[in-house]
Amino acid sequence: MRGRTAVGAAGAAMALLALAVPALADGAKPDLTRFYTQRPVWGACTVKGAPQGMECAKLTVPIDYAHPADGTIELAVARIRAGGSGSGSGSGSGTDVGPSGAAPAAPKGSLVFNFGGPGESGLKDLGGFLTDTEGLADQYDLVSFDPRGVGRSAPVRCGAAAEQEIESSADTAPANDAEGRKQLVAELRSIAQECRRTTGKLLPHVGTINASRDLDVLRQALGDKKLNYFGISYGTRLGAVYAAQFPKRTGRMVLDAVDSLTADAEQSALAQATAFQRGLDTFLSDCARQGAGCPLGATTAVATRTLDATVAQLDKQPAKTASGADFTSADLRTAITNSLYAEQLWPTLAYGISTLHDKGDPAALDQINKSFAGEDAQGKRAADDNSKEALLAINCADEPKRPKDPAAELASLEDKFAKASPMFGPEQVGAAVSCTGWPAGTDYIRRIDRTGAPSVLLIGTRGDPATPYQWAAETARRLGKGVVLTYEGEGHGGYTASRCVREHADAFLLEGTLPAEGTSCARETPPAH
């Protein structure tokens, strides 16, 4: 809640802890014993591309923690045992043989990951993180899960028509006239109605408060007294909420690409539009510094004109992909947005814009978009991918504000967003009213204030377009105890981009050693993509 008068740290922590365990109408606490006494049965994974040694299990949690008798769901969980072996069962304190043939030194239990979104599948993403976490893998079981409402954990579904509308509204700027705004608002209300109808009674309970309670059940099931945790992007919101609800059970926590705890939908969308525009400007100037080596032009002004001409070209007539689908200016903006997440994609982005401009060929950019969206050559997502629906449902469960007149709010914001970002603002403005038609979400996250949990390591990337750098310091203040490590680079997240950042984060997770406040890591040249 904004404007809340600060109280003493101890008082704030106690107030938040009181909210952590829901009470029944008569004041009694619900009996959650059966959930906290589970032990997962580990077995083979059926996840496509799962690495050797990855095990999977199911964990039962209540739909509503205040009323556990009202029904349960199953969470899909995965782990890779310390030392790389996937055999056996039990907690992360086993003695599996490591790559060198010796037992890993001083096993530390489990390190649980959330890779963001909200809506990203932890089961699919865990294997892709192994190379970067090799410094941790001998001492921790690496664990992740599909949060409630995501992937294989009782996924949010909205029906085919609404799901198509979610995709189109996310990628297209609302028409800046009364009829266009009215149409968008009607679509948003229809989406909310269909998501409620198709998902059923789970939908009101998919937010981060309940996901963090699931995280605590998982911690207990893994046999860990405290949760050691690594959250990326949305995963930082989940970690912060866990620290607020369970401060005494919080262990070593790293939060990379830090989300805001205080920004509402409008503020968040505007900050992101501004940050993506800054990222685009950096991309163009970086390319131009190569001189003749930049396919867009040897100066920033020429590179910018090339991009603007390409957008105008697509607005006049879309290009065609290999499958015969239209490739529009909205698709180009999506490719730029996707590429700004990872600096190693910038050479491909420059080449793709150039070939689209010169030859009308969008193949390189179309491939970027399909890869990010998890689509095949025909543009179809995997059957178990509900990331866009889950993102909307979880964000709306965490957002307490609803516009009284969404169309009027859109009209009032259009100029502000376009001024903040000529490239991204006109599309991003729709995010400010995306929860139209949904019931108001919780304001709990807005009220997090000095949790009483141990110190947290927060990683902020100076040029992060998706979670602007200033959010790291803001969230650190909200948590009460936090050290911000700055990566002076570009892209979304610092751990995978910087050896320096990895060394500091690993030292904290393995030894408990935090860097000094104000520590920064220089921008590193990304590996060739």
Side-chain angles (χ1 to χ4, degrees), residues 459-479:
I459 302 166
T461 295
R462 189 77 67 178
D464 194 324
T467 50
Y469 175 73
Q470 66 268 22
W471 287 354
E474 291 174 6
T475 298
R477 288 193 294 271
R478 283 285 173 167
L479 292 175

Side-chain angles (χ1 to χ4, degrees), residues 108 140 227-229 250-254 508-512:
K108 298 182 182 299
Y140 279 110
L227 176 73
N228 296 314
Y229 177 81
T250 302
R252 295 172 185 171
M253 183 174 285
V254 173
F508 175 58
L509 290 168
L510 294 172
E511 309 297 337

Side-chain angles (χ1 to χ4, degrees), residues 108-113 126 133 136 140-144 222 224 228-230 252 509:
K108 298 182 182 299
S110 304
L111 178 62
V112 179
F113 291 85
L126 183 59
T133 55
L136 304 170
Y140 279 110
D141 287 359
L142 307 181
V143 177
S144 194
L222 294 169
D224 295 324
N228 296 314
Y229 177 81
F230 196 130
R252 295 172 185 171
L509 290 168

Side-chain angles (χ1 to χ4, degrees), residues 20-379:
V21 180
L24 303 177
D26 60 4
K29 290 184 178 180
D31 184 3
L32 303 176
T33 303
R34 70 186 180 104
F35 304 107
Y36 274 91
T37 53
Q38 295 177 84
R39 285 294 178 266
V41 178
W42 298 99
C45 287
T46 59
V47 179
K48 184 179 180 180
Q52 184 177 5
M54 191 169 99
E55 299 175 304
C56 288
K58 295 286 189 180
L59 200 64
T60 301
V61 295
I63 291 174
D64 180 357
Y65 276 84
H67 301 94
D70 285 355
T72 63
I73 58 172
E74 286 189 327
L75 302 180
V77 183
R79 75 171 178 184
I80 299 168
R81 297 290 297 271
S85 171
S87 61
S89 60
S91 74
S93 57
T95 56
D96 292 287
V97 175
S100 64
K108 298 182 182 299
S110 304
L111 178 62
V112 179
F113 291 85
N114 180 280
F115 299 102
E120 290 299 310
S121 166
L123 271 67
K124 292 182 178 179
D125 290 347
L126 183 59
F129 215 57
L130 290 181
T131 300
D132 294 304
T133 55
E134 60 184 359
L136 304 170
D138 274 350
Q139 295 188 45
Y140 279 110
D141 287 359
L142 307 181
V143 177
S144 194
F145 66 112
D146 286 0
R148 58 173 53 212
V150 175
R152 300 184 178 210
S153 296
V156 170
R157 292 296 185 191
C158 299
E163 287 164 12
Q164 182 60 42
E165 287 183 340
I166 290 171
E167 294 204 26
S168 62
S169 64
D171 297 334
T172 306
N176 58 346
D177 56 45
E179 187 58 34
R181 298 180 199 110
K182 181 179 178 181
Q183 180 179 345
L184 175 61
V185 170
E187 288 177 357
L188 292 172
R189 294 190 189 282
S190 174
I191 288 169
Q193 181 178 358
E194 286 303 294
C195 291
R196 286 196 300 271
R197 183 185 66 80
T198 307
T199 301
K201 63 181 181 180
L202 173 65
L203 196 64
H205 305 288
V206 296
T208 302
I209 286 181
N210 286 311
S212 72
R213 292 170 180 155
D214 296 341
L215 199 53
D216 196 56
V217 172
L218 174 59
R219 172 203 58 77
Q220 181 73 14
L222 294 169
D224 295 324
K225 292 183 178 180
K226 294 191 174 185
L227 176 73
N228 296 314
Y229 177 81
F230 196 130
I232 302 169
S233 193
Y234 163 76
T236 67
R237 189 197 312 171
L238 177 58
V241 173
Y242 183 90
Q245 294 200 93
F246 304 102
K248 293 183 179 179
R249 301 175 194 169
T250 302
R252 295 172 185 171
M253 183 174 285
V254 173
L255 305 180
D256 186 13
V258 183
D259 197 1
S260 173
L261 302 179
T262 60
D264 62 26
E266 175 193 332
Q267 293 164 333
S268 179
L270 184 62
Q272 288 182 318
T274 303
F276 271 106
Q277 185 67 47
R278 190 218 60 83
L280 174 59
D281 294 343
T282 301
F283 158 73
L284 292 170
S285 61
D286 269 20
C287 186
R289 273 196 289 270
Q290 301 171 34
C294 175
L296 302 178
T299 69
T300 302
V302 173
T304 302
R305 284 199 296 271
T306 300
L307 174 59
D308 290 343
T310 308
V311 173
Q313 182 179 305
L314 292 173
D315 284 339
K316 185 176 180 181
Q317 182 175 347
K320 292 292 183 180
T321 68
S323 65
D326 283 348
F327 190 91
T328 67
S329 61
D331 295 316
L332 171 56
R333 279 187 283 271
T334 299
I336 295 170
T337 299
N338 289 337
S339 300
L340 292 178
Y341 273 78
E343 193 178 350
Q344 62 264 35
L345 287 174
W346 288 13
T348 304
L349 175 62
Y351 168 79
I353 295 171
S354 174
T355 55
L356 178 56
H357 177 267
D358 296 340
K359 301 177 182 179
D361 180 6
L365 302 176
D366 186 48
Q367 183 55 48
I368 289 172
N369 289 348
K370 284 183 167 55
S371 295
F372 267 75
E375 295 175 350
D376 61 19
Q378 284 70 46

